[in-house]
Amino acid sequence: YVEIGDKKSQAYNFEWIAFQYQELGEKDKAIEFYQKSANLHAEIKNINDQARMFLQIGTVYSSINQPEKAVESYQKSANLYQEIGRKVDEAATFFSIVKVHFDQKQYEKAIESLQNSVNLSRETGDKFSEPVYLQLIGLCYSEMNQIEKELEFNLQSFALFQEIKDYRNAIT
């Protein structure tokens, strides 16, 4: 692919190699090849796949307990998704940031990212994700022992779950 100048195929091959290294537990090599793939996607202006590679890089960093680098990679991904108007993917990427902050017991930061996801869900009319994000904000407040705020967000979540007739989640 290099000889014929097919950068898109080369980028996908780097991604496949990265995935294989990740499966083998060779995380540094996985990051290296995901980064190579991201760089090639940037060169050919394939922003969606570039964002996806940063999401993968963040996942690897998260798996090796490097939360700062994970959040940095996830944020790059979210920024790229925002650039191309992929709000649902942007919201999902914020959710990855939330997980890192939650695992680090940085609940205020988790709430900030969740609020971004709530706002994006509202903008896109995603009524299925919004109540989940609200419920998770409630969980963060629970972890901070702010029961009134927890209740406030859980009631919002409950109402939306009822609205979409998701009764299983509406009672949890």
Side-chain angles (χ1 to χ4, degrees), residues 47-65:
I47 306 301
N48 185 62
D49 284 334
Q50 181 187 10
R52 206 169 43 78
M53 290 306 96
F54 281 117
L55 190 60
Q56 289 301 114
I57 291 168
T59 301
V60 176
Y61 276 129
S62 187
S63 75
I64 57 175
N65 200 26

Side-chain angles (χ1 to χ4, degrees), residues 5 21-23 33 37 40 42 56 61 64-65 69 72-73 76 80 88-89 93-94 128 135-136 147 155 163 171:
Y21 275 126
Q22 190 175 353
E23 289 294 302
F33 279 90
S37 180
L40 284 172
Q56 289 301 114
Y61 276 129
I64 57 175
N65 200 26
K69 288 183 178 183
E72 180 184 322
S73 295
K76 286 178 183 178
L80 289 166
V88 172
D89 292 322
T93 301
F94 279 123
F128 295 94
Q135 196 172 50
L136 291 169
I147 306 309
L155 287 172
E163 186 178 314
I171 58 173

Side-chain angles (χ1 to χ4, degrees), residues 13-162:
N13 280 329
F14 281 152
E15 178 184 357
W16 180 243
I17 291 167
F19 174 76
Q20 291 172 327
Y21 275 126
Q22 190 175 353
E23 289 294 302
L24 291 170
E26 295 185 40
K27 308 297 183 164
D28 290 337
K29 286 293 225 185
I31 291 168
E32 175 188 334
F33 279 90
Y34 281 131
Q35 186 62 59
K36 286 180 179 185
S37 180
N39 293 344
L40 284 172
H41 285 302
E43 278 184 46
I44 60 173
K45 308 282 191 254
N46 184 354
I47 306 301
N48 185 62
D49 284 334
Q50 181 187 10
R52 206 169 43 78
M53 290 306 96
F54 281 117
L55 190 60
Q56 289 301 114
I57 291 168
T59 301
V60 176
Y61 276 129
S62 187
S63 75
I64 57 175
N65 200 26
Q66 292 191 23
E68 296 83 12
K69 288 183 178 183
V71 168
E72 180 184 322
S73 295
Y74 289 144
Q75 191 60 58
K76 286 178 183 178
S77 178
N79 292 344
L80 289 166
Y81 282 132
Q82 180 182 39
E83 182 181 319
I84 59 173
R86 304 256 332 213
K87 293 182 184 213
V88 172
D89 292 322
E90 183 184 356
T93 301
F94 279 123
F95 186 75
S96 297
I97 294 171
V98 167
K99 183 171 177 355
V100 173
H101 289 316
F102 195 87
D103 290 347
Q104 297 296 310
K105 300 187 185 330
Q106 298 172 333
Y107 303 116
E108 293 88 359
K109 289 181 178 181
I111 290 169
E112 183 181 320
S113 292
L114 281 164
Q115 193 59 59
N116 286 333
S117 293
V118 167
N119 294 340
L120 288 165
S121 294
R122 288 177 179 162
E123 285 177 32
T124 60
D126 180 359
K127 294 198 176 260
F128 295 94
S129 297
E130 182 182 351
V132 173
Y133 297 141
L134 291 168
Q135 196 172 50
L136 291 169
I137 291 173
L139 178 62
C140 290
Y141 280 118
S142 173
E143 291 295 320
M144 296 187 302
N145 204 28
Q146 295 183 25
I147 306 309
E148 288 179 12
K149 293 292 274 185
E150 175 191 8
L151 178 61
E152 174 189 334
F153 282 92
N154 283 337
L155 287 172
Q156 289 177 49
S157 174
F158 178 76
L160 289 173
F161 278 129
Q162 285 189 312

